[in-house]
Amino acid sequence: MFRTGKSIAPARNHPPGRDPATDRAPGPPTGRRHTWPALLAWLILIAIAIPLASQRAPHSRDNATVELPRGAESTRVAELTDRFPDGDLADGILIYARPGGLGPADLAKVEADRAALAPLARGPIPAAGRSVDGAAITLVVPLDAKARDGRTPADQARKVRDRARAELPAGLTVRLTGPAGNALDAEDAIESTGRTLTLVTVLVVAVLLLFTYRSPILWLLPLVCVAVALLLSRAVGHLLERFAHLTVDDGNTITVTALLFGAGTDYAMLLLARYREELLRHPTPYTAMRVALRRALPSIAASAATVAAALLCLLAADMGFNHTLGPAGAIAIGCGFVVTATLFPALLVVLGRRVFWPLIPRHGAEPTARRSIWPRLGRGVARRPRLVWIGTSLALGVLAVGALGIETGLDDAHTVVGEPDSVAGQELLAAHFPAGRSRPVRIVADSASAEAVTHALRTVPGVGTPGAPLRSTDGTLVEIRAVLDIPPDSAAAADRLSAIKAAVHAVPNAHALVGGPTATGVDKATAQAHDRRTVIPLVIGVVFLILVLLLRALVAPLLLMATVLLSYLAALGVSRHLFSHVLDFPAMDVQVMLVGFLFLVALGADYNIFLIHRIREEARTRTHESAVLSGLTATGGVITGAGAVLAATFAALTVAPQVAFIQIGAMVALGVLIDTFLVRSILVPALALDAGRAFWWPAHRRPKTADPRKDPVA
């Protein structure tokens, strides 16, 4: 905050850490003659982006394999679905159950539903199948698996569910499961999560910005800019999807939205802090913004480039969700940077100093930053930096111990919070019918080998009698479905799947492929393990290389990467205890470790860049120790505020019903808080102080003054 009531004459001597020549140098176009054309250009761009952002290219709308493991056997089976007569169908399995047995009224209800649902079905609805115990009955409704005439598969499934729930006899339970039920619950969850996440994120960020700036106007500008960046990123994604064949996965929207809200707000806060600082030194907002951009934009650009480059490492991933998240996230970060560098400055200079009302930074007013906690914290760290960094590292190491023995992989019953219809339906099916009835193993083979493959399946213990082979429309392939006698998502089912693969792969010239839900689950786990082995080292290498190029040093990047990795492990350890002992999750979703690592390392490097860039700037006119303390003092408040906003943004993901989003949001939020309040505020300054000028090795940084009497911060 600034004292606005007391003005002082502008000092003749330039403040320590500043370069008058740089301040007078030509900067980005922020003069009066540039601002209004820039705003007009943005209005035109927004008008163009609005219709593009709501579209999706036709070739990807019905792609059901986007999130599956790329090139996996189960994915190849899914890709062959369209070649079979029922390839464009998604069964909606209605299961009716009554403890103690179904009565005449129940059976009449089932038959009435069968007749009423006939107009919705793609083909005849088979006769209802009753369980051996007489307590349950199923009705399989074939529905369109693709969007037609503006109706999605979920729309049709919702009509089926609504009809089944209508006029239900007392005591009779009905659930919709199967592929159509799963699709309906997934769409409902995504829509609900998207709305709730956006609302919660906006409210949380708004409150934090109001608390930070105490202005009834200023808090709105970063949110407006993030909204524009989100709109722009979706429009760019659509254009790349249509003309460059970029694969876009709508399932990434929630994660990308959280990332952009957090990072975009951070960028805006960092520029805003520097702009407010320069308003004290320059008579006009235009001059202040030119200097602020010249001094803050390089670190923001380096930060955005680091996050985007780390995200693009996901292009090496096998898992479809991870592979598509990379470009989507990189596009969003790029759009956030462009908006921060162009639209946000234009809005600020047009509104002038009054945008900070009631705490308006006046030209020549004295800042109160020296009375904040950061100078005292810096001096405390400087007294015994080695003891501080050793103690902090040990504390983080203790937190990281919790990551030992972590278990990954959730069964179907624990992928969502609560009990959606499709999950409850699966449980009813498992209680009254063979466990894998609704999710059979699918084997696709050459049609000439149909009999031999069927015979091979019969030799596998625990596999029900295979159904009759279904021929493809061109007659070259057959699909055979086999039902397991154990839950399809169990560890035993994975072993049974291995036996099935061994049996059918041994059939000569059959070219058999094994797919279905069990095979997909196994292939997902394999793909995620590959991605962790491949992407994590790649991200570490890319981020380290960027830090080396940016800092032109080796020691500093090595120390900074060590702090980031330690921060990640600490967050992983704390998260494991949170998930196991507080939230009662049996394991961690397979996506969490990789996605959490990516965000924490990339965003942790962000804060490293912001802090170290300011320390380098201060080192031009200060001793090394004084530069570290001055950099911490200048950036401590804004980095802490940015970290709080980023943590709150990801914490908003915990409102989602999907356990994967809850775990990603909680882990990233915890990691950002650890990174902000321990690593960036204490550990990194202590390491930099203890290393001395060797921190910049092999670069030689000789301060222009080493006399502490001439250095106000020393």
Side-chain angles (χ1 to χ4, degrees):
M1 300 304 160
F2 298 88
R3 291 191 310 194
T4 57
K6 178 182 177 182
S7 294
I8 59 173
R12 292 180 177 273
N13 295 327
H14 207 72
R18 315 220 24 104
D19 186 347
T22 302
D23 286 357
R24 291 194 300 268
T30 54
R32 289 181 176 83
R33 67 178 183 275
H34 299 109
T35 301
W36 289 106
L39 290 175
L40 178 60
W42 268 108
L43 287 175
I44 295 172
L45 186 60
I46 291 170
I48 296 172
I50 288 174
L52 291 174
S54 61
Q55 298 180 31
R56 281 290 179 267
H59 72 267
S60 69
R61 287 177 184 157
D62 301 315
N63 189 352
T65 63
V66 169
E67 294 189 1
L68 300 182
R70 300 188 306 136
E73 191 171 337
S74 61
T75 304
R76 292 161 65 192
V77 170
E79 291 169 345
L80 292 171
T81 298
D82 288 343
R83 295 180 60 178
F84 292 87
D86 63 352
D88 58 352
L89 297 180
D91 288 340
I93 302 176
L94 288 168
I95 178 167
Y96 305 78
R98 180 188 292 276
L102 300 169
D106 302 331
L107 299 177
K109 163 64 174 171
V110 174
E111 288 304 316
D113 286 350
R114 183 186 179 198
L117 293 172
L120 292 176
R122 288 283 310 279
I125 301 177
R130 194 166 181 176
S131 64
V132 175
D133 60 10
I137 192 169
T138 59
L139 199 62
V140 181
V141 184
L143 299 173
D144 203 325
K146 298 184 178 181
R148 299 181 191 274
D149 302 324
R151 296 175 300 178
T152 67
D155 294 333
Q156 300 296 89
R158 186 173 289 105
K159 292 179 180 179
V160 172
R161 187 176 64 186
D162 291 345
R163 167 59 200 178
R165 289 176 175 177
E167 302 173 3
L168 197 66
L172 181 67
T173 298
V174 63
R175 302 290 188 183
L176 175 65
T177 187
N182 295 337
L184 175 57
D185 286 342
E187 182 172 294
D188 285 347
I190 290 174
E191 289 182 357
S192 173
T193 301
R195 291 192 299 268
T196 306
L197 173 67
T198 301
L199 178 61
V200 171
T201 301
V202 169
L203 289 176
V204 169
V205 172
V207 169
L208 287 173
L209 291 176
L210 274 169
F211 178 79
T212 301
Y213 297 115
R214 315 291 206 278
S215 169
I217 303 171
L218 189 58
W219 66 272
L220 187 60
L221 295 186
L223 290 177
V224 169
C225 290
V226 169
V228 171
L230 186 60
L231 177 72
L232 182 62
S233 68
R234 290 179 178 174
V236 171
H238 167 73
L239 292 175
L240 291 176
E241 182 185 21
R242 179 174 292 275
F243 298 110
H245 304 292
L246 174 73
T247 301
V248 174
D249 177 17
D250 288 337
N252 289 325
T253 301
I254 293 173
T255 308
V256 171
T257 300
L259 174 65
L260 182 54
F261 261 97
T265 306
D266 277 6
Y267 298 157
M269 291 178 71
L270 290 160
L271 178 59
L272 193 58
R274 195 58 186 255
Y275 173 57
R276 186 169 62 177
E277 187 179 328
E278 299 301 335
L279 283 172
L280 299 175
R281 300 187 175 104
H282 300 280
T284 69
Y286 296 97
T287 306
M289 180 57 73
R290 186 184 73 242
V291 177
L293 283 172
R294 178 167 292 280
R295 293 190 173 276
L297 210 55
S299 62
I300 297 175
S303 166
T306 302
V307 177
L311 285 163
L312 290 176
C313 292
L314 287 174
L315 290 174
D318 278 353
M319 191 66 195
F321 176 87
N322 298 335
H323 183 79
T324 55
L325 175 61
I331 290 169
I333 290 296
C335 292
F337 170 73
V338 170
V339 170
T340 301
T342 56
L343 176 60
F344 189 50
L347 290 173
L348 286 174
V349 296
V350 163
L351 293 173
R353 296 176 189 267
R354 60 184 176 274
V355 76
F356 291 93
W357 183 88
L359 302 172
I360 301 175
R362 304 291 184 184
H363 176 221
E366 181 182 353
T368 60
R370 297 179 192 277
R371 296 202 299 267
S372 72
I373 189 177
W374 301 105
R376 295 195 299 273
L377 178 63
R379 289 191 293 269
V381 171
R383 290 190 187 101
R384 294 186 176 181
R386 184 166 301 175
L387 181 63
V388 169
W389 73 255
I390 291 176
T392 307
S393 299
L394 288 175
L396 292 172
V398 170
L399 296 178
V401 170
L404 297 176
I406 196 167
E407 294 183 7
T408 61
L410 295 168
D411 57 26
D412 292 344
H414 293 94
T415 56
V416 292
V417 175
E419 193 175 54
D421 231 36
S422 58
V423 174
Q426 290 292 344
E427 294 175 353
L428 281 176
L429 281 172
H432 298 283
F433 294 92
R437 177 173 177 177
S438 67
R439 292 175 290 176
V441 177
R442 299 173 56 202
I443 299 94
V444 174
D446 290 347
S447 57
S449 304
E451 185 176 345
V453 172
T454 302
H455 176 74
L457 281 171
R458 292 195 180 103
T459 66
V460 180
V463 177
T465 302
L470 176 66
R471 289 190 177 273
S472 62
T473 53
D474 60 6
T476 61
L477 300 174
V478 291
E479 180 183 302
I480 305 166
R481 299 186 181 184
V483 176
L484 302 180
D485 62 355
I486 52 179
D489 58 347
S490 63
D495 295 335
R496 193 71 49 81
L497 184 73
S498 298
I500 291 174
K501 286 186 176 183
V504 300
H505 289 168
V507 178
N509 301 317
H511 304 108
L513 300 172
V514 180
T518 302
T520 298
V522 171
D523 287 342
K524 282 182 177 180
T526 302
Q528 289 287 3
H530 163 273
D531 292 353
R532 288 194 295 269
R533 292 192 306 268
T534 304
V535 176
I536 287 178
L538 192 58
V539 170
I540 292 173
V542 167
V543 173
F544 175 72
L545 181 60
I546 291 176
L547 289 175
V548 169
L549 295 175
L550 180 67
L551 302 179
R552 296 187 292 279
L554 287 177
V555 173
L558 283 171
L559 293 176
L560 295 177
M561 286 303 301
T563 66
V564 168
L565 294 175
L566 185 58
S567 176
Y568 164 73
L569 292 174
L572 189 62
V574 175
S575 298
R576 183 202 177 191
H577 290 301
L578 173 66
F579 300 154
S580 299
H581 304 303
V582 179
L583 300 179
D584 199 26
F585 296 142
M588 189 174 286
D589 187 87
V590 291
Q591 296 178 170
V592 174
M593 289 182 66
L594 177 61
V595 176
F597 173 85
L598 179 73
F599 287 163
L600 287 178
V601 169
L603 296 171
D606 259 14
Y607 296 145
N608 272 323
I609 289 171
F610 299 144
L611 174 60
I612 300 302
H613 183 270
R614 185 58 182 259
I615 292 175
R616 285 186 61 194
E617 179 183 329
E618 298 293 333
R620 293 170 181 159
T621 56
R622 298 181 184 274
T623 63
H624 174 76
E625 177 179 335
S626 178
V628 172
L629 299 182
S630 179
L632 176 63
T633 299
T635 63
V638 66
I639 289 180
T640 301
V645 169
L646 185 62
T649 301
F650 274 94
L653 282 174
T654 59
V655 303
Q658 299 95 328
V659 172
F661 286 136
I662 294 173
Q663 292 182 338
I664 290 172
M667 180 178 170
V668 174
L670 287 170
V672 168
L673 292 177
I674 290 171
D675 193 82
T676 301
F677 290 99
L678 283 179
V679 175
R680 218 58 50 217
S681 301
I682 298 175
L683 180 56
V684 170
L687 286 169
L689 289 168
D690 193 29
R693 279 187 286 176
F695 188 73
W696 306 106
W697 187 87
H700 296 285
R701 296 196 168 277
R702 297 185 179 277
K704 294 181 180 179
T705 175
D707 186 351
R709 292 173 300 177
K710 299 179 181 179
D711 198 331
V713 183

